[in-house]
Amino acid sequence: MRPPNLRQAPCPPALPPGHESGQSWRSLMGLAFNEACLAAREGETPVGAVLIDADGRILARGHNRTICLNDPTAPAEVLCLRAAGERLANYRLTGSILAVTLEPCLMCVGALLHARVAGIVFAAPDPKAGALVSNLDGANLPFANHRPWVIGGVLAEDCGALLKRFFLARRKPA
């Protein structure tokens, strides 16, 4: 049996790169929230994401498009990774930070690990499918060779309320 990997994820920075220009985790999550609103307008589950580089520059933005693309691999996080990979002509996104309005699922966590994203900032926890804190410590899997840092709860109330309103509206009889 292989011994457990004792490496810990690096500590997250107090503020995102580029903070001297006034950027904060809340303002970065605000950009992801805007993407989530676009998803809701398209009839998609309102989840949005923004990926920044190590210097705080936006590499990609995305929102859920699984329904309109008929693609189960088209949530906001994966679309951000795809766009950034194309932009940088590299599948490794070392040093990047993802802000996403809902705790990522297992598929998205796997993609973030493979892309070598340095950090993940999420808003609302996902008790049903979240794979960073709710159901799994996906950033510290013993068999993975990459460990991003994680910050949760940034604008959680706003992002959670958007999701609740969206699902309540869908459940109302026509």
Side-chain angles (χ1 to χ4, degrees):
M1 187 167 102
R2 183 174 136 187
N5 190 330
L6 300 176
R7 289 187 305 145
Q8 294 293 315
C11 293
L15 289 172
H19 68 277
E20 42 287 331
S21 63
Q23 188 179 43
S24 69
W25 295 129
R26 290 176 60 83
S27 64
L28 185 61
M29 190 61 71
L31 297 174
F33 182 83
N34 291 341
E35 288 292 323
C37 292
L38 291 174
R41 279 187 230 127
E42 294 174 7
E44 297 276 354
T45 301
V47 177
V50 175
L51 187 73
I52 61 173
D53 69 12
D55 295 320
R57 294 181 297 251
I58 294 173
L59 293 173
R61 300 170 193 241
H63 55 274
N64 276 8
R65 304 207 66 224
T66 55
I67 297 168
C68 70
L69 295 177
N70 296 311
D71 182 355
T73 67
E77 301 94 324
V78 172
L79 294 178
C80 268
L81 294 176
R82 288 178 186 168
E86 281 186 39
R87 180 177 175 180
L88 299 175
N90 194 339
Y91 71 105
R92 294 285 194 233
L93 304 171
T94 307
S96 64
I97 298 169
L98 181 82
V100 61
T101 58
L102 183 65
E103 179 185 359
C105 71
L106 184 58
M107 177 183 68
C108 293
V109 169
L112 293 162
L113 294 178
H114 283 292
R116 304 296 193 269
V117 170
I120 305 161
V121 181
F122 72 89
D126 184 354
K128 183 177 178 187
L132 282 177
V133 297
S134 295
N135 296 295
L136 181 69
D137 184 6
N140 289 300
L141 295 170
F143 55 83
N145 63 355
H146 176 69
R147 292 190 177 35
W149 50 261
V150 175
I151 296 175
V154 177
L155 291 185
E157 288 182 22
D158 294 337
C159 295
L162 177 63
L163 283 158
K164 286 177 187 168
R165 285 192 307 271
F166 176 81
F167 285 113
L168 282 174
R170 288 185 65 131
R171 290 183 187 114
K172 283 184 181 177

